[in-house]
Amino acid sequence: MRGFRAGAVGVALALAMAGQASAASYSVTNEYANSSQLALIGVTPALQANANYGSGIVFGVIDTGALAAHGDIASGVDRVDSACTITSPACANSKALTDDNGHGTFVTSEIIGRANGYGVVGVAPLGTAIEMKVLNASGSGTTADVAQGIRLAADRGAQVLNLSLTFLPTSDIVSAINYAASKHVVIVFAGGNSSQALQNNGFIRGFTDQAISQLFFMGSTNANKVLSYFSNTPGIGGFISTSGKTYSFKDHWLMADGENLWGAYNKGTGLFLYTQLSGTSMAAPQGAGAVGLLAARWPFLLNTNPGGIVSIMMQTAQDLGTSGHDKTYGSGFLRVDLAFQPVGQLALATSGSVTTSSASSSTATVGGETRTNLAGTGIAAGGPLGNLANIKSILSGIVAFDDYHRDFNIDLGGAVMTRRTGSIVVPFQPLSTRTVQRFIEFDNGGHLSYVGEMARPTFDPEQGTGRHALNGDAVLRPTPRQWAMSLTGNGTYTGAGEGSGAAMSFSEARWIGENAFQGSDAEASTALLSLVADMH
């Protein structure tokens, strides 16, 4: 059987870690500073809290086992479902919790290291780890053991698998990955430390389309996001699925800082010892942890679209190198913060009489709820929208959905115009020799307004009484009455009026205009227009 090597840089893993563990060699009380790779991928305590710190997500760590008693992972390692699959020499399941190498302990702390204010912290610090010991003390193992570890982890409830070891797509490994993918598991592999293109730019066969959609690789950069000298690259190779479809490695490849990271150390008598390691092995756990956070925030994705999680991460990665997905950096640098933002077009859940109308709108049903894409659409309502203050409150708590049906809270309340505070009394004043206005604005934004013509005779004084009709009476000139009165409160207009000037004011009020009932211009108005949206 072909052998494996855990993917950390060094003559051998045991030597790579020897002499580097020292609780006094760095600030053990500033765990986020010690885990500086988190900031680079956009993981903050606030973002972790938004996903409940990965609580409820089970990670399968296919590695050298783990020192389950280490203070940073003790409460997160599953002591029942962890297993040892090494066939030569044979070992009991309990040995998965010993880790005679150290690599698995380090990797586990990167994923689920507890946020306890001490040492290091993982990407998903409230996740659970199932340890599958498939590598021995020297970091080697067989494809049969690795394949068995993948199957066991999937059967025992792992939702995300981290394989910080060499990617060898033998028939037993391919079959095991296809099996895990069929159980909605996402699989993360270290890209390798041979400074070459993955699979020497070749194409591999045997994976199902589902497995490919749920599988990705992690390459390594330094803290400046420059390719590590040892890191493999995606190259120009890829997959040819069992259905005959072709996929590029670069579309299933992300980068993360993998140089000189701190992690839990399995040696010594203390339970809070740490060491530094470099390699794509150290980048992969960041990708696995990111999957866990996304799955914890939107659990339905694992059951309905685990490949969607991978797609989201690839779309939101920070582009490096050549524009777009390239043969060196793949999809780019992992950015969990961007993955937690909407992807594609937002949609609103619709109910009642509020609908959307657009040739480009689309709907989908998730969990029995209809969600309508509002891109480029307008909202129509069957009647007046009502109290604007209430509408503003409602719009401040809108829930929208992106292309992957993930929910996001958005605040549209700012789109509703608000009135200035304070009371302003405008004194009775003539607008012309015949028109007067009275206007009072209240603290709550409401106002009382009157605009109208002054009392005037029903005959034209400029003509005097010298002209007479044929019957000898004075010429009467009935005057069209022009007046409008309004009272507003909490965004609702109540008004009455007569004449074209009133029509203009009502039209202005309909559109929440600033000048409604504050003036009139008979010549500027042509019609009353519709006072509600559905009047024709």
Side-chain angles (χ1 to χ4, degrees):
M1 303 294 286
R2 299 182 69 181
F4 277 82
R5 203 63 162 150
V9 172
V11 176
L13 266 174
L15 294 178
M17 297 191 300
Q20 295 184 25
S22 173
S25 62
Y26 73 118
S27 174
V28 296
T29 59
N30 192 346
E31 57 188 348
Y32 281 93
N34 298 332
S35 304
S36 57
Q37 70 273 13
L38 297 184
L40 291 176
I41 62 174
V43 171
T44 63
L47 184 144
Q48 291 172 323
N50 188 31
N52 200 19
Y53 299 92
S55 177
I57 301 303
V58 180
F59 298 90
V61 183
I62 317 299
D63 215 289
T64 64
L67 178 61
H70 192 286
D72 263 335
I73 63 174
S75 63
V77 172
D78 187 322
R79 298 169 187 267
V80 176
D81 287 329
S82 296
C84 181
T85 68
I86 294 178
T87 56
S88 180
C91 65
N93 285 0
S94 61
K95 289 194 175 181
L97 307 178
T98 58
D99 190 7
D100 49 7
N101 177 283
H103 188 266
T105 299
F106 189 105
V107 165
T108 300
S109 71
E110 276 197 86
I111 301 174
I112 65 159
R114 278 2 200 184
N116 53 17
Y118 196 88
V120 297
V121 63
V123 177
L126 283 185
T128 300
I130 294 177
E131 302 295 335
M132 292 290 141
K133 183 175 175 59
V134 300
L135 304 178
N136 60 25
S138 65
S140 298
T142 67
T143 59
D145 280 324
V146 173
Q148 181 66 4
I150 291 172
R151 289 178 177 272
L152 271 177
D155 285 341
R156 297 188 178 190
Q159 298 155 296
V160 186
L161 299 186
N162 186 90
L163 293 102
S164 288
L165 43 77
T166 308
F167 176 65
L168 295 177
T170 57
S171 60
D172 48 1
I173 295 294
V174 170
S175 176
I177 290 176
N178 286 341
Y179 174 77
S182 72
K183 298 174 76 70
H184 303 283
V185 176
V186 176
I187 302 99
V188 185
F189 261 98
N193 304 318
S194 302
S195 305
Q196 63 185 28
L198 185 65
Q199 294 295 298
N200 292 313
N201 291 318
F203 282 78
I204 56 177
R205 297 176 180 269
F207 288 108
T208 64
D209 293 297
Q210 181 179 8
I212 293 170
S213 73
Q214 295 165 211
L215 168 66
F216 67 96
F217 304 88
M218 294 293 298
S220 173
T221 72
N222 60 22
N224 294 319
K225 301 182 181 179
V226 175
L227 183 71
S228 299
Y229 73 90
F230 52 78
S231 180
N232 283 355
T233 59
I236 58 174
F239 303 98
I240 298 178
S241 74
T242 53
S243 70
K245 295 181 181 179
T246 299
Y247 303 84
S248 296
F249 288 143
K250 68 178 185 293
D251 296 327
H252 293 263
W253 187 284
L254 291 171
M255 309 297 296
D257 180 14
E259 295 191 19
N260 300 315
L261 304 189
W262 286 102
Y265 188 43
N266 72 319
K267 305 296 183 181
T269 58
L271 296 182
F272 285 95
L273 296 178
Y274 305 90
T275 190
Q276 281 182 298
L277 286 176
S278 297
T280 56
S281 277
M282 286 61 253
Q286 298 172 59
V291 172
L293 287 181
L294 287 164
R297 174 61 181 84
W298 294 283
F300 71 89
L301 284 175
L302 278 179
N303 296 323
T304 62
N305 188 15
I309 296 180
V310 177
S311 177
I312 289 168
M313 293 169 64
M314 299 299 151
Q315 290 186 68
T316 57
Q318 178 183 349
D319 194 20
L320 299 177
T322 303
S323 180
H325 296 188
D326 63 64
K327 64 181 181 180
T328 301
Y329 292 100
S331 298
F333 196 87
L334 172 63
R335 287 290 300 273
V336 186
D337 54 339
L338 300 182
F340 267 72
Q341 296 180 15
V343 174
Q345 298 176 333
L346 284 176
L348 300 179
T350 59
S351 61
S353 62
V354 179
T355 60
T356 62
S357 57
S358 171
S360 63
S361 66
S362 60
T363 61
T365 300
V366 179
E369 181 179 32
T370 300
R371 297 170 182 176
T372 305
N373 194 320
L374 296 185
T377 70
I379 300 178
L385 290 176
N387 189 301
L388 291 183
N390 291 341
I391 292 174
K392 181 175 182 179
S393 176
I394 293 171
L395 291 178
S396 297
I398 287 291
V399 176
F401 303 87
D402 72 353
D403 283 358
Y404 293 88
H405 308 298
R406 297 183 298 164
D407 60 297
F408 293 89
N409 292 322
I410 58 175
D411 184 1
L412 298 178
V416 178
M417 184 183 67
T418 59
R419 294 284 186 178
R420 63 183 181 273
T421 59
S423 295
I424 300 176
V425 178
V426 180
F428 180 91
Q429 58 181 328
L431 299 181
S432 69
T433 58
R434 298 176 178 176
T435 306
V436 296
Q437 176 181 359
R438 182 75 170 178
F439 179 76
I440 301 175
E441 185 166 353
F442 304 107
D443 285 336
N444 64 0
H447 66 249
L448 174 66
S449 177
Y450 171 81
V451 178
E453 293 192 352
M454 298 177 65
R456 52 190 279 187
T458 58
F459 64 93
D460 190 338
E462 294 179 1
Q463 301 298 325
T465 58
R467 293 191 179 184
H468 300 275
L470 294 176
N471 61 2
D473 295 331
V475 178
L476 299 180
R477 296 181 178 273
T479 302
R481 287 177 291 180
Q482 299 282 339
W483 64 276
M485 177 176 288
S486 69
L487 178 65
T488 69
N490 294 323
T492 300
Y493 280 93
T494 301
E498 187 175 1
S500 57
M504 186 186 70
S505 285
F506 275 106
S507 176
E508 181 80 6
R510 177 198 177 200
W511 302 109
I512 321 176
E514 291 279 2
N515 298 317
F517 301 105
Q518 295 185 22
S520 63
D521 184 350
E523 301 301 326
S525 178
T526 58
L528 179 62
L529 300 179
S530 299
L531 292 182
V532 293
D534 59 354
M535 184 179 291
H536 300 287

